[in-house]
Amino acid sequence: IAPKNFTIHGLWPDKEGTVLQQCKPKPNYVNFKDKMLNDLDKNWIQLKFDEDYGRDKQPLWVYQYLKHGSCCQKMYNQNTYFSLALRLKDRFDLLRTLEMHKIFPGSSYTFQEIFDAVKTATQMDPDLKCT
């Protein structure tokens, strides 16, 4: 089932515009349980994996944490990294923003129309790609 709003792709620390990846030391990922597991499962959906497998093995979150979370581990532990990502997602309701700009799923719009609508919410140039 497709989500009814946007999900998270990742939270990527950067240094002066350069995205940091695979930083050392490699952190130890500990599987989430309870509330955080449910919050991530709802908001950072592992669409490529069966739900039970995703909740048990947590492959997307492991991947994102080792690739990007590793680069901010001096400031944020695993729980704080994911909590921050969830808080940042909650700051923006992009589906509502697009609707306010008369942009609805299932119709066609120019790149610029979507870019401009998202920018009204984020106040920054969004990093958008069309596929």
Side-chain angles (χ1 to χ4, degrees), residues 12-20 127:
W12 308 319
D14 71 39
K15 183 176 183 180
E16 299 169 5
T18 302
V19 175
L20 304 172
D127 182 11

PDB file of all heavy atoms in Angstrom, residues 12-20 127:
ATOM      1  N   TRP A  12      21.108  13.165   5.991  1.00  0.00           N
ATOM      2  CA  TRP A  12      22.505  13.147   5.569  1.00  0.00           C
ATOM      3  C   TRP A  12      23.276  14.330   6.116  1.00  0.00           C
ATOM      4  O   TRP A  12      23.084  15.468   5.672  1.00  0.00           O
ATOM      5  CB  TRP A  12      22.589  13.161   4.043  1.00  0.00           C
ATOM      6  CG  TRP A  12      21.769  12.102   3.398  1.00  0.00           C
ATOM      7  CD1 TRP A  12      21.634  10.807   3.813  1.00  0.00           C
ATOM      8  CD2 TRP A  12      20.949  12.221   2.243  1.00  0.00           C
ATOM      9  NE1 TRP A  12      20.804  10.120   2.979  1.00  0.00           N
ATOM     10  CE2 TRP A  12      20.357  10.969   1.993  1.00  0.00           C
ATOM     11  CE3 TRP A  12      20.658  13.258   1.376  1.00  0.00           C
ATOM     12  CZ2 TRP A  12      19.504  10.732   0.927  1.00  0.00           C
ATOM     13  CZ3 TRP A  12      19.807  13.028   0.319  1.00  0.00           C
ATOM     14  CH2 TRP A  12      19.246  11.775   0.101  1.00  0.00           C
ATOM     15  N   PRO A  13      24.176  14.072   7.049  1.00  0.00           N
ATOM     16  CA  PRO A  13      25.039  15.160   7.515  1.00  0.00           C
ATOM     17  C   PRO A  13      25.985  15.574   6.396  1.00  0.00           C
ATOM     18  O   PRO A  13      26.338  14.767   5.533  1.00  0.00           O
ATOM     19  CB  PRO A  13      25.790  14.543   8.686  1.00  0.00           C
ATOM     20  CG  PRO A  13      25.676  13.073   8.521  1.00  0.00           C
ATOM     21  CD  PRO A  13      24.456  12.808   7.699  1.00  0.00           C
ATOM     22  N   ASP A  14      26.332  16.851   6.391  1.00  0.00           N
ATOM     23  CA  ASP A  14      27.310  17.298   5.400  1.00  0.00           C
ATOM     24  C   ASP A  14      28.295  18.257   6.043  1.00  0.00           C
ATOM     25  O   ASP A  14      28.086  18.743   7.144  1.00  0.00           O
ATOM     26  CB  ASP A  14      26.643  17.917   4.165  1.00  0.00           C
ATOM     27  CG  ASP A  14      26.004  19.263   4.419  1.00  0.00           C
ATOM     28  OD1 ASP A  14      26.559  20.083   5.161  1.00  0.00           O
ATOM     29  OD2 ASP A  14      24.929  19.508   3.854  1.00  0.00           O
ATOM     30  N   LYS A  15      29.373  18.489   5.336  1.00  0.00           N
ATOM     31  CA  LYS A  15      30.395  19.427   5.774  1.00  0.00           C
ATOM     32  C   LYS A  15      30.630  20.389   4.625  1.00  0.00           C
ATOM     33  O   LYS A  15      31.134  19.990   3.575  1.00  0.00           O
ATOM     34  CB  LYS A  15      31.684  18.692   6.136  1.00  0.00           C
ATOM     35  CG  LYS A  15      32.765  19.597   6.667  1.00  0.00           C
ATOM     36  CD  LYS A  15      33.971  18.797   7.105  1.00  0.00           C
ATOM     37  CE  LYS A  15      35.006  19.733   7.702  1.00  0.00           C
ATOM     38  NZ  LYS A  15      36.188  18.993   8.146  1.00  0.00           N
ATOM     39  N   GLU A  16      30.158  21.626   4.802  1.00  0.00           N
ATOM     40  CA  GLU A  16      30.332  22.665   3.795  1.00  0.00           C
ATOM     41  C   GLU A  16      29.829  22.210   2.427  1.00  0.00           C
ATOM     42  O   GLU A  16      30.498  22.380   1.419  1.00  0.00           O
ATOM     43  CB  GLU A  16      31.792  23.107   3.745  1.00  0.00           C
ATOM     44  CG  GLU A  16      32.272  23.679   5.064  1.00  0.00           C
ATOM     45  CD  GLU A  16      33.771  23.883   5.138  1.00  0.00           C
ATOM     46  OE1 GLU A  16      34.463  23.664   4.124  1.00  0.00           O
ATOM     47  OE2 GLU A  16      34.245  24.246   6.217  1.00  0.00           O
ATOM     48  N   GLY A  17      28.641  21.593   2.403  1.00  0.00           N
ATOM     49  CA  GLY A  17      28.017  21.210   1.147  1.00  0.00           C
ATOM     50  C   GLY A  17      28.409  19.851   0.610  1.00  0.00           C
ATOM     51  O   GLY A  17      27.903  19.421  -0.414  1.00  0.00           O
ATOM     52  N   THR A  18      29.312  19.157   1.281  1.00  0.00           N
ATOM     53  CA  THR A  18      29.728  17.826   0.847  1.00  0.00           C
ATOM     54  C   THR A  18      29.062  16.791   1.748  1.00  0.00           C
ATOM     55  O   THR A  18      29.256  16.804   2.963  1.00  0.00           O
ATOM     56  CB  THR A  18      31.266  17.669   0.950  1.00  0.00           C
ATOM     57  OG1 THR A  18      31.878  18.672   0.144  1.00  0.00           O
ATOM     58  CG2 THR A  18      31.699  16.292   0.478  1.00  0.00           C
ATOM     59  N   VAL A  19      28.260  15.908   1.145  1.00  0.00           N
ATOM     60  CA  VAL A  19      27.586  14.860   1.920  1.00  0.00           C
ATOM     61  C   VAL A  19      28.628  13.870   2.424  1.00  0.00           C
ATOM     62  O   VAL A  19      29.474  13.400   1.672  1.00  0.00           O
ATOM     63  CB  VAL A  19      26.516  14.146   1.066  1.00  0.00           C
ATOM     64  CG1 VAL A  19      25.908  12.983   1.839  1.00  0.00           C
ATOM     65  CG2 VAL A  19      25.424  15.116   0.646  1.00  0.00           C
ATOM     66  N   LEU A  20      28.553  13.585   3.714  1.00  0.00           N
ATOM     67  CA  LEU A  20      29.489  12.651   4.340  1.00  0.00           C
ATOM     68  C   LEU A  20      28.895  11.247   4.335  1.00  0.00           C
ATOM     69  O   LEU A  20      27.698  11.076   4.563  1.00  0.00           O
ATOM     70  CB  LEU A  20      29.769  13.094   5.774  1.00  0.00           C
ATOM     71  CG  LEU A  20      30.296  14.521   5.932  1.00  0.00           C
ATOM     72  CD1 LEU A  20      30.352  14.913   7.393  1.00  0.00           C
ATOM     73  CD2 LEU A  20      31.651  14.661   5.269  1.00  0.00           C
ATOM     74  N   ASP A 127      16.185  19.637  -3.108  1.00  0.00           N
ATOM     75  CA  ASP A 127      16.999  18.753  -3.953  1.00  0.00           C
ATOM     76  C   ASP A 127      16.034  17.751  -4.585  1.00  0.00           C
ATOM     77  O   ASP A 127      15.772  16.695  -4.014  1.00  0.00           O
ATOM     78  CB  ASP A 127      18.061  18.050  -3.114  1.00  0.00           C
ATOM     79  CG  ASP A 127      18.972  17.158  -3.942  1.00  0.00           C
ATOM     80  OD1 ASP A 127      18.927  17.248  -5.191  1.00  0.00           O
ATOM     81  OD2 ASP A 127      19.704  16.357  -3.355  1.00  0.00           O
TER      82      ASP A 127
END
